[in-house]
Structures are given as structure tokens and as C-alpha cells.
Amino acid sequence: MARHTPVMAVMVAAARKAARGLQRDFGEVENLQVSLKGPANFVTAADKKAEKTLFEELSKARPGYGFLMEEGGTIEGSDKSHRWLIDPLDGTTNFLHSIPHFAISIGLERDGQIVAGVVYNPISDELFIAEKGQGAFLNDRRLRVAARRELANAVVATGIPHIGRPGHKRFIAELGVVMNEVAGVRRMGSAALDLAYVAAGRYDAYWEANLAPWDLAAGIILVREAGGFVSDLNSRDDVLNSGGVIAGNETIHRELAKALKRAHAAS
Ligand code: IPD
Ligand code: CA
Ligand code: CA
């Protein structure tokens, strides 16, 4: 059973409050699919509303903490040790297309280290939480990363660049190597949930490039507290700044990192 420390209780309450708005708005998006303009502007408004709720709730509970938010950017706090890293809606394109796979992601950084994370899918009501040294949980059930040790038996998630995003050639080289060495590749459209699914043992591994700190912060601690390994694409501990990530159990993480290195050397 997850024991919510005071700061985790604050994070969960803020996520659930913002989720109520996203649940309502997600229902509306399905109706707007058929409208001439489509739901794009509506989704942007939903995204910003969720972020406003998170900012208000977390500021009230922990005045002085700084913020790094996808929509609102950086807000310096008087407490220089603590910073929230927030993605109010990770999986925007899914939300826009009425695909029920998106999440609120809240990471808490203390003196440069991620110490707590929440990833919450309001549609599936799956609440992934983790705090440093306290373990990782899904709806209060403790999580462990998958135990598979053979890449050939692994299902691996990733992110595929699309129009307007960098890295097309590099990704094709990576996929060309990885697809020949794994049991399956998945691209589901939410980096925060991809990392949460690795923590839950649903995916054996995950890799992606060109992510933002708010995509990654909460998922990093989920995987680590579930006994997994998270590194940047060079197997170093510079995930947030580099925007590249490899996650999995120790063996699979190492094997996937080697496969990606072969892909980069050949491209
Ligand atoms: C995106 C999702 C997606 C990833 C993109 C991110 P957003 O976040 O996490 O899975 O591949 O790189 O930008 O834009 O939906 O918050
Ligand atoms: Ca995101
Ligand atoms: Ca987002």
C-alpha cells in the first residue's frame, strides 16, 4: 500500500483536481471532431486550464517552490532548492484525436535531483506515483520493472518524430536496428506514460530523443523506484538536459543502449 507523504498528497490532490477538467474537456473534444475547425483551439485551452489549476494548487500548498511548465515556462521561486516540472497534458495529439491515452505529469526536483513524481491518466484512472526511497505504485499497488533479460523477448516503446520535429533520419536508423532485435515496438504518444509503463512492467524498455524536462521528470523516478535503470542516449545520467532517454531493467537497458549505439555508428 502506498503511504502518501505530505508532499505526495499535495501532488496527487493537484493532479486529480486538474484531471476533472481534462475529463470534461475530453468528452467535448469527441463532439468537436466533426466541427469544421476541429478541436485544436479547444484542446489548447484545455491544456492551459489544466496547467493553471496545477500551478494554483501547488503554489498554495508549497509557496516559494519554482516552476518549469510546458505552457507557462519558468517561474523562479524564493525556495531555490525546489522546483516543480509540469506537463499538464502529455499526449496532446492523442487528446486532440479522442484517443484516451494521455496524462498529467508532475515531477518534483530537490537540489537538482528528481525526488517525487506523479503520472495520472484521467480516463483510465491510473495513478502512477513514486518518491525517492519509497517505491513506485500504480493505484497503490507496488510496481517492479519487467524481469525479462532477452531483448528478443522484449516489447519496447519509443517516440516517432513527425512533421515539424527533428531526428527523422536518426530514428529510422535506430528503428532499423531495434526492430530486428525485439519482440515488438510500440509508439503510444505519451512519453510520461511510456516511462510509467516501463515502471509497471508493461513495456520492457523505452527510448526516445528530443524530449523536454517536463516530459521526463516524473517518469524517471517511477522507473528508478520500480528497480529500473534510466539514462540518456549515451548511457549517462544527463536525461533532463539532453532530452534523450533509455529506460528498462539493468540487462535490457544495457542491451538496448548497445543496439542504439550500433545504429548511430552505422548512420
Ligand atoms: C509529446 C508526447 C509524445 C512525445 C513528444 C512529446 P506533448 O508531449 O510525450 O509521446 O513523442 O516528443 O512532445 O506534446 O503531448 O505534451
Ligand atoms: Ca509532453
Ligand atoms: Ca504537453
Side-chain angles (χ1 to χ4, degrees), residues 165-188:
R165 298 297 289 270
H168 292 219
K169 185 167 172 287
R170 173 191 173 127
F171 177 77
I172 288 167
E174 291 172 346
L175 186 63
V177 170
V178 172
M179 65 197 279
N180 282 314
E181 303 200 12
V182 298
V185 181
R186 300 290 182 270
R187 197 296 188 251
M188 297 287 280

Side-chain angles (χ1 to χ4, degrees), residues 70 87 89-92 165 187 189-191 208 211 215:
E70 179 171 15
D87 192 341
L89 172 54
D90 184 62
T92 319
R165 298 297 289 270
R187 197 296 188 251
S190 166
E208 189 164 351
L211 290 166
D215 293 319

Side-chain angles (χ1 to χ4, degrees), residues 171-240:
F171 177 77
I172 288 167
E174 291 172 346
L175 186 63
V177 170
V178 172
M179 65 197 279
N180 282 314
E181 303 200 12
V182 298
V185 181
R186 300 290 182 270
R187 197 296 188 251
M188 297 287 280
S190 166
L193 283 174
D194 291 337
L195 285 163
Y197 280 28
V198 170
R202 294 175 177 174
Y203 299 148
D204 298 285
Y206 162 63
W207 93 93
E208 189 164 351
N210 300 313
L211 290 166
W214 48 77
D215 293 319
L216 293 159
I220 288 171
I221 190 155
L222 281 169
V223 174
R224 287 178 174 159
E225 285 299 315
F229 280 66
V230 185
S231 73
D232 62 24
L233 289 170
N234 298 310
S235 296
R236 295 197 196 100
D237 188 16
D238 189 29
V239 180
L240 287 189

Side-chain angles (χ1 to χ4, degrees), residues 104-115:
I104 292 166
S105 182
I106 306 171
L108 175 58
E109 187 183 66
R110 178 178 297 137
D111 300 326
Q113 292 296 316
I114 303 296
V115 294

